[in-house]
């Protein structure tokens, strides 16, 4: 169970790195900002600083998850688990906050929050059943 959890958490981190790339690096591409529901170049230019900042939040969460996985993998189980649990819980919480901003954000919230939620649940189930 723990092995599957680490794979899912790795996928969650990869997704958040992809979101970082879109929001902070590739935002000027119309295909990217349209994916986020932005309707015009003017609007994309207006929200670009916010998207840039938000992308880095996603990157930092991904880095935290990866560092947690590395720590866990090298035998620092307590520190690794703490970091994995914290970062995946933050990813899920961010998805919940996204849902609260409007019904139109349900799909992005599910995309953003499903992998970390599944990874966190698998990790906690694995720990509860005595796996480490």
């Amino acid at each position: 169970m723990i092995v599957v959890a680490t794979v899912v958490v790795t996928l969650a981190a990869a997704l958040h790195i992809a979101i970082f790339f879109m929001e902070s690096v590739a935002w000027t591409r119309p295909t990217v900002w349209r994916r986020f529901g932005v309707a015009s170049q003017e609007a994309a230019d207006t929200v670009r600083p916010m998207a840039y900042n938000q992308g880095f939040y996603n990157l930092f969460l991904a880095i935290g998850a990866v560092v947690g996985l590395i720590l866990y993998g090298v035998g620092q189980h307590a520190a690794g688990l703490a970091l994995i649990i914290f970062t995946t819980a933050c990813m899920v919480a961010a998805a919940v906050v996204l849902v609260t901003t409007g019904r139109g954000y349900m799909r992005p919230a599910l995309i953003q929050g499903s992998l970390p939620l599944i990874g966190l649940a698998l990790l906690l189930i694995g720990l509860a059943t005595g796996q480490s």
Side-chain angles (χ1 to χ4, degrees):
M1 188 75 63
I2 297 293
V3 172
V4 176
T6 60
V7 170
V8 176
V9 171
T10 301
L11 292 172
L15 174 65
H16 280 73
I17 291 169
I19 294 169
F20 154 76
F21 179 80
M22 288 184 285
E23 292 176 336
S24 298
V25 177
W27 186 258
T28 57
R29 298 177 192 162
T31 55
V32 172
W33 48 258
R34 284 187 188 120
R35 180 175 287 145
F36 287 88
V38 177
S40 69
Q41 182 68 54
E42 182 182 4
D45 292 343
T46 300
V47 299
R48 184 176 181 195
M50 183 187 66
Y52 180 79
N53 183 279
Q54 189 170 297
F56 274 91
Y57 277 89
N58 285 293
L59 177 64
F60 299 148
L61 288 172
I63 290 170
V66 170
V67 170
L69 290 166
I70 291 169
L71 288 173
Y72 186 83
V74 298
Q76 298 295 319
H77 291 181
L81 287 171
L83 200 48
I84 294 166
I85 290 168
F86 176 77
T87 55
T88 55
C90 286
M91 290 174 184
V92 171
V96 170
V97 169
L98 187 56
V99 168
T100 67
T101 60
R103 294 186 73 183
Y105 293 99
M106 181 62 77
R107 183 174 184 271
L110 288 171
I111 292 169
Q112 175 182 316
S114 294
L115 286 171
L117 179 62
I118 293 166
L120 178 60
L122 291 172
L123 182 66
L124 295 176
I125 291 167
L127 293 173
T129 59
Q131 300 174 20
S132 61

